[in-house]
Amino acid sequence: AYGSRNIQGMALHPATRELWSHEHGPRGGDEINIIRKGVNYGWPKATHGINYNGTIVSEHNSLPGMEDPILVWTPSIAPCGMDFVTSEHFPGWKNNILVGALAGQHIQRVELSGDQVVGTEKLLEGLARFRAVRQGHDGYIYILTESPGMFLRMRPAK
């Protein structure tokens, strides 16, 4: 695979075993993609982001022969860390993706139907910059933050 800009997180889909990733765009254009052999993900010829100085990277968001993202964040959330939820502790989140957001300062829950995004939800918004999110062997969600630095365990409300 090629045409990725800056991959910050990867995880295997628990049902399909496909490799999913997220990457930083420049100013906007952060993406989630399913990584497939030989596929061109477009960077820098197709992007939803712009250069940090405000100039255009490309006039194209999509081009023939290039794979479009599953999800695009504009403005940027600066995704960092990702995992799929498989735990019985969070039955309504089965096979959803959790993504940390540095700039967005939240955890983004991405609800899927197959390989299509059907909804998103911001969790723990404004608490800190979220650096990593993983489901532990015990089924709980573990989170690392910066500014301030914390190690958190997410459990469902009783």
Side-chain angles (χ1 to χ4, degrees):
Y2 60 104
S4 293
R5 181 179 180 268
N6 185 351
I7 293 176
Q8 294 287 312
M10 298 180 111
L12 290 175
H13 189 289
T16 66
R17 305 309 291 166
E18 291 176 304
L19 182 62
W20 289 55
S21 73
H22 65 62
E23 62 184 74
H24 286 195
R27 262 176 59 194
D30 299 342
E31 301 178 357
I32 289 182
N33 293 294
I34 302 173
I35 303 300
R36 295 187 174 106
K37 181 180 179 180
V39 172
N40 181 350
Y41 293 91
W43 178 261
K45 294 180 179 180
T47 180
H48 291 261
I50 60 173
N51 286 311
Y52 293 108
N53 66 6
T55 61
I56 301 298
V57 174
S58 171
E59 302 209 1
H60 304 284
N61 299 108
S62 182
L63 286 168
M66 297 179 187
E67 187 74 11
D68 290 333
I70 301 296
L71 176 65
V72 175
W73 289 287
T74 299
S76 175
I77 67 165
C80 194
M82 77 184 288
D83 208 359
F84 282 90
V85 179
T86 61
S87 172
E88 297 302 321
H89 294 307
F90 304 92
W93 294 2
K94 195 69 128 186
N95 296 334
N96 287 193
I97 303 171
L98 297 179
V99 174
L102 292 166
Q105 296 190 1
H106 65 275
I107 298 291
Q108 180 105 136
R109 181 174 69 89
V110 180
E111 185 179 356
L112 301 171
S113 177
D115 64 1
Q116 300 295 307
V117 174
V118 295
T120 61
E121 178 184 17
K122 292 179 181 180
L123 308 170
L124 305 174
E125 191 171 9
L127 183 65
R129 290 169 45 93
F130 289 88
R131 178 63 63 186
V133 56
R134 299 295 280 174
Q135 180 180 286
H137 294 292
D138 61 1
Y140 295 115
I141 307 300
Y142 291 89
I143 301 163
L144 293 175
T145 71
E146 64 176 66
S147 301
M150 295 181 277
F151 178 67
L152 308 170
R153 179 175 63 175
M154 183 186 294
R155 299 183 302 184
K158 291 190 179 199

